[in-house]
Amino acid sequence: MSQLPNHKVPRLGTAGEKYRERNLVHQLPAQDLALTHCRHVAGEHQRAFRDFIEARNDIALDVGFVRELNHSSECRKCQRVIRHGELAVIAPRFGDVTWHPACFVCHTCDQLLVDLTYCVYDEEIYCERHYAQQLKPRCAACDELIFSGEYTKAMNKDWHSGHFSCWQCDESLTGQRYVLRDDHPYCIKCYENVFANTCDECNRLIGIDSKDLSYKEKHWHEACFLCNKCRMSLVDKQFGSKAENIYCGPCYDAQFATRCDGCGEIFRAGTKKMEYKTRQWHEKCFACCVCQTPIGTKSFIPREQEIYCTGCYEEKFATRCIKCDKIITTGGVTYKQQPWHRECFTCTNCNTSLAGQRFTSRDEKPYCADCFGELFAKRCTACTRPITGIGGTRFISFEDRHWHNDCFICATCSNSLVGKGFITDASDILCPDCAKQRLM
């Protein structure tokens, strides 16, 4: 037993015990051993049954035994060596041939031969069941050997003539048409009653001799698959459905088809449709309104009721620089409600970029602070530098002369005269006190 797989060792209360019991029933079926266990061997065939049993027992059936080898030998199944002193199975009908205990299996089912019981056929070992099936057909229904000359072959199996019957009503199918469903045979009547669909048009069953045409869980006879309006056959034709009814292409289009927002024609059944929001087009009509190039799956830009490809949209609507007239794609500047590229928005005099810089304008043209001061600003009478006013710089004017606030000081004491009285003396400005001293 130690030579066998553990789950096949028949110890009490183990899986091995159940394995042996299953093999015992399967490999040595009672109906193959004695007539008393058979229910379907007719009287005229009982002699043939007994002769078969006697011949099997005389020339094929035997029981093997286990012994310790006194010499090395080769296992007949796996061809590996069974060494001197190891256990081996001997089958007397094969002479001195040996097997490992785990290799002594049926040639057909490859299961251990229960209790070492075997049969020989054509130089191979079989369990009793599969030995019998080398010589006699076995009924797939009752599992008995068939000794009559007539029997039914169906579904790649053998059957007593009366045992090949409908799975539903148990009526014999021998010589009758039948239908297989889930590996079970059904007579025509039962199959149609149980499995056949009902025609949505005429409400009769769709038998096995009729084509069953289906669409969305509905079924029709081939002759009933008709347009709901004009009654034309829809077999092998395009059709549409609406409110659980089916229609031929022309009828469906006439009643239900939507129209293309491009050409105004209807969408016929089966036509590819391009949709955007609430609008829809034929594939060829979904095109740029300027260049007429089909959009397909490319990017597009809608504007009011028109569709534009990106190139035409930019050409027609994109913001352009007031200076170079090229499209502004990123980082533009707006000046006096007009767009500029950042690099185009420069001082009119020195061409320095004004983007992000302080600037002012003259005659609608922009200037940087330095250029504006040099070109147009008043000059301080005291320091001669431009008075630009940019950033809030304050200045004082008097008789066509101008001063920065910081430069408007007494020529003698240098005190600020902003907001105070002052006296002019030629080109100088003086506070009252200094003016008195100068005049005295």
Side-chain angles (χ1 to χ4, degrees):
M1 296 299 177
S2 65
Q3 304 294 310
L4 303 179
N6 189 56
H7 66 285
K8 294 183 179 180
V9 177
R11 298 186 186 93
L12 289 175
T14 67
E17 180 187 22
K18 293 180 180 177
Y19 174 78
R20 176 185 176 278
E21 289 173 353
R22 289 195 301 271
N23 270 357
L24 188 63
V25 173
H26 185 72
Q27 294 185 9
L28 301 171
Q31 64 272 21
D32 286 15
L33 303 178
L35 195 57
T36 53
H37 297 292
C38 299
R39 294 185 300 163
H40 303 290
V41 179
E44 65 269 26
H45 301 132
Q46 292 182 2
R47 177 61 182 271
F49 178 89
R50 294 190 186 94
D51 291 344
F52 175 81
I53 298 301
E54 290 177 6
R56 179 198 64 199
N57 294 345
D58 287 343
I59 65 174
L61 184 62
D62 201 355
V63 178
F65 62 91
V66 178
R67 78 176 183 196
E68 186 179 292
L69 292 184
N70 55 15
H71 63 280
S72 294
S73 180
E74 183 182 272
C75 174
R76 189 176 192 274
K77 179 172 175 61
C78 70
Q79 282 83 53
R80 291 191 304 225
V81 175
I82 306 175
R83 294 184 178 85
H84 175 269
E86 291 184 340
L87 296 177
V89 176
I90 308 298
R93 291 190 182 273
F94 281 85
D96 200 28
V97 179
T98 57
W99 288 262
H100 289 104
C103 291
F104 197 58
V105 296
C106 171
H107 184 68
T108 298
C109 64
D110 206 37
Q111 298 299 314
L112 289 177
L113 290 162
V114 65
D115 298 344
L116 304 184
T117 302
Y118 69 96
C119 290
V120 180
Y121 181 79
D122 199 18
E123 298 300 318
E124 297 290 350
I125 56 172
Y126 294 88
C127 64
E128 191 284 321
R129 167 182 289 274
H130 292 115
Y131 165 81
Q133 288 175 202
Q134 303 300 313
L135 304 172
K136 294 289 182 182
R138 185 181 296 278
C139 179
C142 68
D143 202 39
E144 292 185 17
L145 296 174
I146 301 172
F147 287 88
S148 60
E150 292 184 0
Y151 62 95
T152 300
K153 291 187 73 70
M155 301 167 55
N156 295 321
K157 297 177 182 178
D158 301 318
W159 314 72
H160 285 109
S161 294
H163 287 181
F164 183 56
S165 56
C166 173
W167 188 259
Q168 181 77 10
C169 68
D170 212 31
E171 290 293 322
S172 175
L173 296 177
T174 300
Q176 306 297 318
R177 296 169 67 204
Y178 66 92
V179 181
L180 275 179
R181 176 77 179 233
D182 299 328
D183 290 330
H184 298 310
Y186 293 84
C187 66
I188 303 302
K189 182 179 178 181
C190 287
Y191 180 85
E192 291 182 347
N193 287 338
V194 176
F195 300 110
N197 296 302
T198 300
C199 177
D200 196 68
E201 176 70 22
C202 68
N203 293 319
R204 294 197 302 266
L205 286 178
I206 304 174
I208 64 167
D209 294 321
S210 300
K211 275 189 178 180
D212 185 337
L213 304 180
S214 63
Y215 174 70
K216 288 187 176 180
E217 298 182 357
K218 291 190 172 188
H219 300 265
W220 295 267
H221 292 102
E222 185 175 18
C224 296
F225 193 53
L226 307 173
C227 171
N228 191 62
K229 184 172 179 64
C230 70
R231 310 308 292 169
M232 178 181 73
S233 173
L234 300 179
V235 177
D236 297 328
K237 294 183 176 65
Q238 287 186 339
F239 65 92
S241 65
K242 191 78 171 181
E244 298 189 354
N245 293 319
I246 54 175
Y247 300 85
C248 65
C251 289
Y252 181 89
D253 292 343
Q255 294 189 80
F256 310 111
T258 53
R259 294 185 177 273
C260 173
D261 283 296
C263 68
E265 295 295 324
I266 61 174
F267 292 99
R268 301 192 180 279
T271 301
K272 191 172 182 179
K273 183 188 298 184
M274 310 296 287
E275 296 184 350
Y276 175 70
K277 293 186 175 179
T278 58
R279 305 177 70 199
Q280 49 197 355
W281 297 263
H282 293 107
E283 187 175 16
K284 66 178 181 180
C285 297
F286 188 57
C288 173
C289 65
V290 176
C291 66
Q292 301 303 312
T293 301
I295 300 295
T297 57
K298 294 180 290 189
S299 298
F300 66 93
I301 301 172
R303 185 181 177 93
E304 297 177 350
Q305 296 299 308
E306 303 291 352
I307 297 293
Y308 297 83
C309 66
T310 53
C312 289
Y313 183 87
E314 289 181 352
E315 189 66 30
K316 188 168 184 177
F317 301 109
T319 302
R320 293 180 177 275
C321 176
I322 194 68
K323 183 175 182 179
C324 70
D325 199 39
K326 293 181 181 178
I327 293 171
I328 300 174
T329 56
T330 57
V333 174
T334 299
Y335 173 64
K336 292 188 179 296
Q337 298 183 341
Q338 292 181 323
W340 307 66
H341 288 111
R342 290 178 64 88
E343 57 272 20
C344 291
F345 187 57
T346 60
C347 173
T348 304
N349 185 57
C350 68
N351 283 326
T352 300
S353 175
L354 298 179
Q357 305 298 320
R358 293 168 61 196
F359 70 93
T360 188
S361 64
R362 176 87 173 204
D363 299 328
E364 302 297 320
K365 296 178 181 179
Y367 294 86
C368 66
D370 291 341
C371 289
F372 184 85
E374 290 295 329
L375 296 173
F376 307 111
K378 297 177 177 65
R379 291 187 175 271
C380 177
T381 302
C383 69
T384 71
R385 287 180 299 171
I387 302 173
T388 63
I390 295 173
T393 301
R394 295 182 179 183
F395 65 95
I396 291 118
S397 294
F398 178 72
E399 294 180 350
D400 296 325
R401 290 189 293 171
H402 311 280
W403 295 265
H404 292 107
N405 267 19
D406 293 341
C407 295
F408 193 57
I409 58 177
C410 175
T412 300
C413 67
S414 298
N415 288 327
S416 175
L417 298 178
V418 177
K420 298 176 182 179
F422 64 90
I423 297 170
T424 62
D425 182 18
S427 62
D428 293 335
I429 56 172
L430 301 167
C431 65
D433 291 338
C434 291
K436 289 178 182 180
Q437 291 180 5
R438 179 176 287 192
L439 294 174
M440 287 178 63

